[in-house]
Amino acid sequence: MTGSRIVALGHYQPSKVLSNDELAARVDTSDEWIATRVGIRTRHIAGPDETVADMASRAAAKALAASGFDAHSVDLVVVATCTAIDRSPNTAAQVAARLGIPAPAAFDVNTVCSGFSYALATADHALRAGAARRAVVIGAEKMSDTLDWTDRTTCVIFGDGAGAAVLEATDDGFEGVGPVVWGSDPAKGDAVRIDGWDPTITQQGQTVFRWATTQLAPIARQACERAGVRPEELAAFIPHQANLRIIDAIAAKLGLSPDAVVARDVVESGNTSAASVPLALSKLHERGELPSGAPALLFGFGGGLAYAGQVIRCP
């Protein structure tokens, strides 16, 4: 039976790093206030002309290069994002065109902060069903486009960036979905365009915090149960990087091994929405902190109050 596995990872962050002290010069806040409440010290901010597709393409190119696969062998591209301005061509088609992937199924997924786990699951299902053999899955966000820089409750939290994974089909997984025919011609994607929007993000912080810290640990544990892995057997826990207090609260309730790695990339990257899980995962892998083949729990949650998680084997 067919399954899938992650072969390689990649990530990208803009060069501009914005510190808490720099934000304190703009709005009524301080490094201590931000670090105490959300755990963030810095975040990366994209330039005015740097798009979601730019960041997604750079992360995907890094992952594809690490995989050793030729772009022509990729037949599925999925991008999780809630901040892409262009409606058509979608971000996945733009990434495919830039990477020279000739005719993939290419689509975007928007479940906000849980987007990467949704996109990864969708790609996994397609590979299991035989609808594709190799896939590039990306989480990419330019959250700075959505910020009111005078609102200290939101502008201190978010950052920009992208993370990507390359998947391939294997011969040892469960097959439960029939095949589908997918395709596209991304090089001609500019033939139809729907451009432009002007959003500003707002959130009810206490409501989200209570939901995340009281309701999500049992759901994360279910993801382990479905994979046949006990939480204490996990080598790593990579949750959405929303808030350091939320991360630590869920990790404590899971009952992880003392040796398990818990991703805390929020400290240096802020909340990057759908990019946060693959960004943190790729950085841990690059630093050699994830043993190859070891089980790791990915768990996304947030906007829309949606959630999704799965146990992966580290590449």
Side-chain angles (χ1 to χ4, degrees):
M1 292 186 291
T2 303
S4 73
R5 69 184 182 100
I6 295 177
V7 177
L9 299 162
H11 64 274
Y12 170 80
Q13 291 181 283
S15 59
K16 168 63 177 176
V17 178
L18 184 63
S19 70
N20 289 346
D21 289 335
E22 289 175 288
L23 277 171
R26 299 186 182 188
V27 294
D28 181 18
T29 190
S30 67
D31 176 69
E32 180 184 8
W33 189 91
I34 299 168
T36 300
R37 284 158 180 78
V38 293
I40 299 168
R41 294 288 186 180
T42 60
R43 69 285 294 146
H44 292 248
I45 303 298
D49 297 325
E50 193 167 25
T51 68
V52 170
D54 292 334
M55 293 186 287
S57 297
R58 291 185 174 102
K62 184 175 179 179
L64 191 58
S67 75
F69 296 157
D70 185 271
H72 285 70
S73 71
V74 175
D75 45 17
L76 173 62
V77 179
V78 187
V79 175
T81 186
C82 67
T83 53
I85 292 175
D86 298 338
R87 273 70 164 178
S88 180
N90 62 25
T91 307
Q94 294 181 56
V95 171
R98 295 181 189 194
L99 269 58
I101 301 172
F107 59 92
D108 295 354
V109 171
N110 179 7
T111 58
V112 199
C113 304
S114 58
F116 182 77
S117 281
Y118 272 85
L120 186 64
T122 302
D124 169 64
H125 298 162
L127 269 59
R128 288 177 181 270
R133 293 295 299 174
R134 288 178 177 167
V136 178
V137 182
I138 309 158
E141 301 283 19
K142 190 178 181 182
M143 297 304 296
S144 60
D145 269 353
T146 72
L147 297 178
D148 174 356
W149 290 101
T150 68
D151 178 8
R152 74 169 187 168
T153 66
T154 55
C155 74
V156 303
I157 295 172
F158 296 97
D160 303 332
V166 174
L167 282 70
E168 71 171 352
T170 65
D171 297 325
D172 57 358
F174 174 73
E175 184 176 8
V177 180
V180 65
V181 177
W182 281 351
S184 70
D185 188 353
K188 298 183 179 65
D190 279 343
V192 179
R193 299 185 63 91
I194 306 172
D195 299 337
W197 64 338
D198 186 21
T200 299
I201 191 169
T202 61
Q203 66 174 7
Q204 298 175 14
Q206 288 302 311
T207 299
V208 175
F209 183 87
R210 285 193 297 269
W211 172 72
T213 55
T214 62
Q215 303 297 314
L216 296 183
I219 298 168
R221 195 172 293 112
Q222 288 176 24
C224 295
E225 292 171 358
R226 292 185 179 182
V229 175
R230 298 191 304 273
E232 59 268 27
E233 295 176 318
L234 292 170
F237 175 46
I238 300 97
H240 169 49
Q241 303 293 291
N243 178 311
L244 192 57
R245 291 192 294 159
I246 292 174
I247 292 168
D248 289 342
I250 297 175
K253 291 182 178 181
L254 277 177
L256 302 170
S257 161
D259 297 328
V261 174
V262 178
R264 295 183 173 90
D265 187 52
V266 67
V267 175
E268 62 181 52
S269 299
N271 180 340
T272 56
S273 187
S276 77
V277 169
L279 180 61
L281 175 64
S282 178
K283 290 167 79 171
L284 287 171
H285 179 261
E286 185 173 76
R287 294 197 298 264
E289 297 183 34
L290 303 177
S292 180
L297 173 61
L298 311 185
F299 190 58
F301 56 87
L305 299 191
Y307 56 81
Q310 59 269 97
V311 174
I312 65 159
R313 294 284 171 174
C314 300

